[in-house]
Amino acid sequence: MDTRLLRTFEALAKTGSFTAAAAELHLAQSTVTVQIRSLERELGTRLFDRLPTGALLTSTGRRLLEEAEAMLDAEARLRAAAAAGNGGGTVEGQVTVGAGESLCSSRLPGVIASLRRTHPGIDVHLRAVGSAAAVEGLREGRFDMVLLLEPEVNLADLAARPIGREPLVYLASPDHPLAGREAGWDELAGESFFVHEEGCSYSDHLVRTLLALPGARPRLTRFGSIEAARSCVAAGLGLTLLPRTTVDRQLRDGVLAVVHGPQVPPVPVQLTRHRRRWVAPAARVVADEIARLVGG
């Protein structure tokens, strides 16, 4: 079987669009259409329903996608083994990493800079996503690995290992009454909080704790952007809880100030991959460098 057809099948399954699959594979849309029809004829079954909203996998297509991914992994392993046997010592390839905004803006740029010096043939693509989207993307093959800020990852199809811990800090504007002071839960419960979107483990824990306090009626605003939360707090509108690395510059510049609130444990950084998928040499190099720099 021509693995090019399987690669097109995989791309269309991930994107749900003939146009998007063609762009990802650098093919004409008509070529994608022809290749999918050829694969369906060869397998003797319909793999996609063509709908006005895009291409949707049939039940048979969903079953066959996992087998197609296994064959493409096997091909990649074969090529890697051949390159090693021919003395190919240079590791090359594209690696896509999904992570939360805080890690993408603070920790991972240093990883990319280091890899460009040591492994110029590796292209790392960062995607800032929440935990739920990161897990979904990993399962669908859009990411080679993801970084999750979670105490633990208990998902049977994913393998996770903690590589570091991110200290968290309560923050206010420098002229806020609680700036630089110690504050208990009773004081925090009366404040406005600007926190990260639902699905962020440390923000969710803070919200649950505040809402569980007797008689507490905290004002809570969720943002999908850490920058939005930082800006609201810097403007004196309330407090937030964020990883220390995301606000180091603002603390140095006096834009934000620490509030010494109730102790909150550092949140683990979990380097996570799909158990069934082969880890390419380039992905292995990237994972090792992330573990070295993020955990260092």
Side-chain angles (χ1 to χ4, degrees):
M1 179 174 291
D2 188 344
T3 54
R4 289 177 300 176
L5 304 184
L6 297 181
R7 195 165 289 107
T8 302
F9 171 45
E10 181 187 46
L12 183 57
K14 287 194 300 182
T15 63
S17 161
F18 282 89
T19 302
E24 181 175 312
L25 298 170
H26 305 290
L27 297 173
Q29 184 175 333
S30 58
T31 302
V32 172
T33 301
V34 169
Q35 289 185 350
I36 292 299
R37 286 175 178 168
S38 297
L39 184 60
E40 288 178 327
R41 282 198 302 271
E42 187 168 346
L43 295 175
T45 187
R46 190 178 185 87
L47 299 173
F48 294 93
D49 288 323
R50 281 73 164 172
L51 305 175
T53 54
L56 183 66
L57 280 168
T58 63
S59 57
T60 302
R62 287 194 297 272
R63 289 198 306 272
L64 295 182
L65 178 59
E66 190 171 304
E67 300 299 331
E69 290 172 338
M71 290 182 69
L72 291 171
D73 276 354
E75 180 193 31
R77 288 196 298 271
L78 183 66
R79 292 185 182 278
N86 288 331
T90 302
V91 179
E92 299 179 337
Q94 295 190 0
V95 180
T96 305
V97 180
E101 182 190 357
S102 62
L103 292 171
C104 284
S105 63
S106 60
R107 300 285 194 181
L108 294 178
V111 173
I112 294 178
S114 175
L115 287 168
R116 284 185 177 174
R117 292 190 298 269
T118 60
H119 293 82
I122 297 178
D123 291 324
V124 181
H125 302 282
L126 294 185
R127 301 288 184 267
V129 289
S131 294
V135 169
E136 181 185 5
L138 197 59
R139 285 173 167 160
E140 293 180 352
R142 295 196 301 273
F143 302 131
D144 295 290
M145 67 196 74
V146 299
L147 294 174
L148 302 175
L149 290 176
E150 298 288 343
E152 52 187 22
V153 179
N154 293 319
L155 298 170
D157 57 338
L158 304 183
R161 62 183 174 108
I163 60 171
R165 300 172 73 83
E166 287 291 313
L168 302 170
V169 289
Y170 299 96
L171 299 157
S173 65
D175 56 357
H176 190 282
L178 295 181
R181 283 187 45 209
E182 292 190 6
W185 284 117
D186 55 340
E187 290 182 278
L188 295 184
E191 296 292 331
S192 296
F193 271 87
F194 299 90
V195 295
H196 209 33
E197 61 188 345
E198 191 171 353
C200 170
S201 62
Y202 59 85
S203 295
D204 289 349
H205 182 266
L206 173 64
V207 169
R208 287 194 300 269
T209 302
L210 290 170
L211 293 177
L213 295 172
R217 302 175 70 89
R219 296 179 293 278
L220 303 168
T221 303
R222 295 272 199 172
F223 286 113
S225 163
I226 287 177
E227 178 56 38
R230 281 193 307 230
S231 298
C232 287
V233 172
L237 301 178
L239 308 181
T240 191
L241 177 70
L242 290 174
R244 176 83 187 215
T245 55
T246 65
V247 293
D248 277 340
R249 179 173 58 80
Q250 288 81 2
L251 289 172
R252 287 195 306 270
D253 294 345
V255 176
L256 295 173
V258 172
V259 175
H260 302 288
Q263 185 174 6
V264 56
V267 60
V269 182
Q270 306 276 0
L271 180 59
T272 309
R273 64 173 180 82
H274 199 288
R275 289 186 186 277
R276 289 179 57 90
R277 290 200 172 87
W278 175 63
V279 182
R284 196 172 297 117
V285 168
V286 172
D288 289 345
E289 192 68 358
I290 289 175
R292 185 178 74 85
L293 293 180
V294 173

